[in-house]
């Protein structure tokens, strides 16, 4: 009994240490805030696929063009924050060492001083690359806010949240917005194949953490980012006529390839009382948004010249106002044109 108790205490101590370590490392970075105009603009880069097999029409020789896309979009939009929604690289095609590809794809952000956070996709790990190695590479940079939940106990790596604070600092301030990142895993690495879903343990972690944050801060509006769409995306796409729905907008040009199992992840987001919109990548031919129960669910836009498909490259951009009543959401194409404003202008419907 005493032994059990002391090992329980020890386990608890480890959890507490791990928690405080993660909080500590988060606090080392400057808080992320709305800008002085009371806005917060996020550019989502999805499916860059650096390091594809050479010699193909989407091979790594094209990576310079992906860099150009990011650089141009950053110049058009000057966001407050950048999110990578997975498949930054094609780990399946990188036989030796992916570090150089990660560093290459970060250059447009590093050169212009942008801050970012990532959630990894099913192609990020591969023959020679684990998620931990990608994390080790990007997290060397001060402007990288990618992290994990702080315990290393959850399946996957990029499961975490980032609070976004008001433009004007005050004593006892609480966040205006929360960004949640979930790891939908998938693919393989030197240790074997990985399930492609957000595991139930992560769903339960979200439910608990979201309740704790809501108790502490009230129901702060939130956005959720992960790579592989859930089966709910497939239901929406297959069972409704997206181009003719008033509450949908955007590209529908490919079957949804969803997570391999329904872990009730989306249900947890629907019931959260905080999450407003979800953003995924993965299916390069889809770049739509629709309402779904309490949420809007969106695909980002294929950004990279790596990865299959010739749909015009671009990025999904969202801009929130500090009072959070408004969220502007659109696709910026690489030539600067804005398309697919969402919600469609006819907001009265
Ligand atoms: C990159 O894009 C430019 C302009 O579209 C094109 O001419 C060039 O061939 C592309 N780069 C490579 C390596 O294919
Ligand atoms: C990968 O390359 C980087 C330099 O680009 C080097 O620092 C690192 O040690 C290499 N990693 C492995 C696992 O070989
Ligand atoms: C940008 O590209 C889109 C899609 O290819 C095209 O419809 C639009 O006319 C282009 N805009 C400019 C300014 O070239």
């Amino acid at each position: 009994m005493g032994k059990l108790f002391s090992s329980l205490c020890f386990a608890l101590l480890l959890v507490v240490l791990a928690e405080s370590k993660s909080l500590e490392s988060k606090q080392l970075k400057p808080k992320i805030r709305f800008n002085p105009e009371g806005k917060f603009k996020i550019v989502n880069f999805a499916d860059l696929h650096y390091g594809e097999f050479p010699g193909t029409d989407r091979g790594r020789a094209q990576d310079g063009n992906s860099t150009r896309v990011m650089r141009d979009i950053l110049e058009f939009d000057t966001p407050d924050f950048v999110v990578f929604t997975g498949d930054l690289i094609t780990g399946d095609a990188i036989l030796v060492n992916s570090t150089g590809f990660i560093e290459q794809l970060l250059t447009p952000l590093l050169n212009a001083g942008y801050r970012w956070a990532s959630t990894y996709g099913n192609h990020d790990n591969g023959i020679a690359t684990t998620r931990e190695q990608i994390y080790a590479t990007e997290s060397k940079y001060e402007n990288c806010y990618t992290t994990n939940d702080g315990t290393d106990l959850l399946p996957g790596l990029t499961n975490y949240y980032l609070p976004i604070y008001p433009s004007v600092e005050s004593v006892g301030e609480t966040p205006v917005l929360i960004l949640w990142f979930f790891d939908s895993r998938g693919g393989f690495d030197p240790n074997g194949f990985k399930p492609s879903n957000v595991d139930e343990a992560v769903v339960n972690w979200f439910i608990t953490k979201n309740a704790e944050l809501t108790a502490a801060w009230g129901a702060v509006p939130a956005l959720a980012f992960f790579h592989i769409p859930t089966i709910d995306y497939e239901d929406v796409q297959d069972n409704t006529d997206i181009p003719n729905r008033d509450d949908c907008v955007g590209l529908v040009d490919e079957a949804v390839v969803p997570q391999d199992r329904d872990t009730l992840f989306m249900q947890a987001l629907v019931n959260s009382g905080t999450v407003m919109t979800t953003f995924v990548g993965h299916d390069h031919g889809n770049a739509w948004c629709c309402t779904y129960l309490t949420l809007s669910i969106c695909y980002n836009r294929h950004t990279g010249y790596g990865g299959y498909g010739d749909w015009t490259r671009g990025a999904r951009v969202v801009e929130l106002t500090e009072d959070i009543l408004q969220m502007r959401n659109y696709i910026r194409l690489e030539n600067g044109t804005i398309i697919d404003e969402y919600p469609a202008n006819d907001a009265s419907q």
Side-chain angles (χ1 to χ4, degrees):
M1 188 66 181
K3 193 160 173 230
L4 177 65
F5 183 69
S6 63
S7 34
L8 271 179
C9 285
F10 184 63
L12 203 66
L13 181 70
L14 285 182
V15 170
V16 169
L17 283 177
E19 280 279 342
S20 59
K21 186 163 163 277
S22 93
L23 282 179
E24 209 169 51
S25 61
K26 265 180 198 161
Q27 281 163 1
L28 287 177
K29 303 227 182 234
K31 280 180 178 174
I32 310 166
R33 296 187 174 281
F34 276 65
N35 66 35
E37 287 78 50
K39 300 212 163 132
F40 188 73
K41 188 193 270 189
I42 302 170
V43 161
N44 289 278
F45 292 135
D47 298 277
L48 291 157
H49 285 279
Y50 277 61
E52 280 275 8
F53 284 111
T56 67
D57 62 357
R58 55 183 159 108
R60 54 188 66 171
Q62 303 288 336
D63 290 347
N65 278 343
S66 304
T67 301
R68 185 198 63 217
V69 174
M70 286 192 279
R71 192 195 59 218
D72 290 350
I73 289 175
L74 292 173
E75 280 177 11
F76 288 128
D77 276 298
T78 58
D80 300 291
F81 202 68
V82 173
V83 171
F84 292 105
T85 22
D87 288 0
L88 289 72
I89 59 172
T90 303
D92 343 16
I94 299 170
L95 305 183
V96 182
N97 184 342
S98 61
T99 305
F101 292 106
I102 300 289
E103 285 172 348
Q104 190 187 350
L105 73 89
L106 293 175
T107 52
L109 285 79
L110 293 169
N111 288 344
Y114 286 104
R115 295 177 297 179
W116 75 89
S118 309
T119 179
Y120 301 147
N122 52 307
H123 288 289
D124 283 309
N125 39 237
I127 293 166
T129 308
T130 62
R131 285 164 132 60
E132 288 72 17
Q133 284 166 336
I134 300 168
Y135 177 64
T137 303
E138 64 163 329
S139 62
K140 283 185 307 211
Y141 297 101
E142 174 68 22
N143 280 0
C144 174
Y145 281 75
T146 308
T147 179
N148 70 4
D149 73 302
T151 66
D152 289 329
L153 297 175
L154 293 177
L157 191 156
T158 50
N159 298 296
Y160 61 103
Y161 65 91
L162 297 174
I164 313 297
Y165 287 90
S167 48
V168 178
E169 186 173 354
S170 66
V171 177
E173 63 184 354
T174 57
V176 181
L177 175 72
I178 295 176
L179 310 182
W180 288 93
F181 299 84
F182 300 97
D183 195 336
S184 54
R185 304 178 293 164
F188 65 93
D189 73 7
N191 305 315
F193 282 88
K194 322 219 160 281
S196 46
N197 58 59
V198 174
D199 191 271
E200 280 90 348
V202 176
V203 176
N204 289 332
W205 164 80
F206 167 73
I207 291 170
T208 305
K209 207 67 179 171
N210 180 59
E212 275 173 36
L213 298 183
T214 300
W217 292 334
V220 177
L223 308 177
F225 304 86
F226 46 100
H227 180 68
I228 307 179
T230 61
I231 197 168
D232 313 84
Y233 277 75
E234 189 178 41
D235 288 346
V236 167
Q237 182 168 310
D238 290 358
N239 297 318
T240 60
D241 183 12
I242 289 182
N244 291 312
R245 245 174 78 170
D246 291 333
D247 61 339
C248 296
V249 64
L251 178 70
V252 187
D253 207 16
E254 191 190 359
V256 178
V257 182
Q259 296 181 21
D260 61 10
R261 215 155 50 75
D262 185 2
T263 60
L264 303 183
F265 168 50
M266 188 60 93
Q267 186 176 314
L269 300 182
V270 165
N271 294 334
S272 65
T274 53
V275 174
M276 305 182 291
T277 309
T278 61
F279 302 92
V280 301
H282 195 54
D283 302 320
H284 305 173
N286 294 332
W288 49 261
C289 282
C290 278
T291 56
Y292 177 69
L293 302 173
T294 61
L295 306 173
S296 296
I297 61 175
C298 294
Y299 271 100
N300 293 333
R301 183 93 183 186
H302 184 201
T303 306
Y305 274 80
Y308 69 89
D310 286 324
W311 298 279
T312 308
R313 276 70 178 183
R316 182 171 297 284
V317 181
V318 290
E319 184 176 46
L320 298 105
T321 50
E322 198 165 335
D323 62 15
I324 234 67
L325 293 172
Q326 294 166 318
M327 176 161 90
R328 198 171 167 218
N329 176 346
Y330 57 87
I331 300 289
R332 174 77 73 176
L333 296 178
E334 64 165 310
N335 68 6
T337 300
I338 289 178
I339 59 166
D340 296 346
E341 285 263 7
Y342 179 86
N345 289 332
D346 203 357
S348 60
Q349 303 185 2

